[in-house]
Amino acid sequence: MRKNGYTLPELLVVIGILGVIALITITKVSFAFENINNPEEQKKEINSLVEQATIAYAKSKEDEFKKNEDTYIFAKEVAAAGFLFERDEYNSKKVKVSYNESTKSFQAEVVE
């Protein structure tokens, strides 16, 4: 007798595997969306974005920023140079840029 289709145990195993995958995916996605509505997390993300854009801006004007020990610039200037979108959340931020000679890298820190 020829067998057409799948047996019940085979279908139950596939459904079980899909259920486990769905459970893992739903929990991971719910944790990701939990941080979106948290104002403190949003502030950290914005500050990190501004700091990284400022470091890229400082690298583009390396000679200018290496001269001074610490330089303070506004995120508005970084946005005007095209390294950051112009948004109200960024414009008021003041960033301290410093150059570390030993590591030959720039550090940026948002100063409110």
Side-chain angles (χ1 to χ4, degrees), residues 19 68 111:
N68 303 326
V111 185

Side-chain angles (χ1 to χ4, degrees), residues 84-95:
L84 192 63
F85 289 114
E86 289 193 32
R87 294 185 59 180
D88 293 336
E89 296 93 7
Y90 309 149
N91 289 340
S92 62
K93 300 221 180 268
K94 186 177 180 181
V95 185

Side-chain angles (χ1 to χ4, degrees), residues 72-88:
Y72 291 90
I73 61 172
F74 283 96
K76 194 175 207 175
E77 181 181 339
V78 177
F83 289 91
L84 192 63
F85 289 114
E86 289 193 32
R87 294 185 59 180
D88 293 336

Side-chain angles (χ1 to χ4, degrees), residues 37-102:
N37 295 328
N38 186 347
E40 196 61 37
E41 285 295 321
Q42 287 178 349
K43 185 177 178 181
K44 285 181 189 176
E45 289 293 324
I46 288 172
N47 286 347
S48 176
L49 179 67
V50 169
E51 289 168 359
Q52 294 302 315
T54 305
I55 288 172
Y57 175 67
K59 285 180 182 177
S60 73
K61 297 188 174 231
E62 195 168 329
D63 296 333
E64 191 177 311
F65 283 96
K66 278 186 180 179
K67 292 178 193 173
N68 303 326
E69 191 171 302
D70 288 335
T71 307
Y72 291 90
I73 61 172
F74 283 96
K76 194 175 207 175
E77 181 181 339
V78 177
F83 289 91
L84 192 63
F85 289 114
E86 289 193 32
R87 294 185 59 180
D88 293 336
E89 296 93 7
Y90 309 149
N91 289 340
S92 62
K93 300 221 180 268
K94 186 177 180 181
V95 185
K96 175 183 157 186
V97 181
S98 57
Y99 182 73
N100 188 337
E101 189 65 43
S102 62

Side-chain angles (χ1 to χ4, degrees), residues 8-24:
L8 185 60
E10 290 172 334
L11 290 174
L12 290 176
V13 168
V14 170
I15 291 171
I17 291 171
L18 290 175
V20 169
I21 291 172
L23 179 69
I24 292 170

Side-chain angles (χ1 to χ4, degrees), residues 1-11:
M1 192 169 172
R2 286 181 57 137
K3 196 172 161 183
N4 291 331
Y6 297 102
T7 64
L8 185 60
E10 290 172 334
L11 290 174

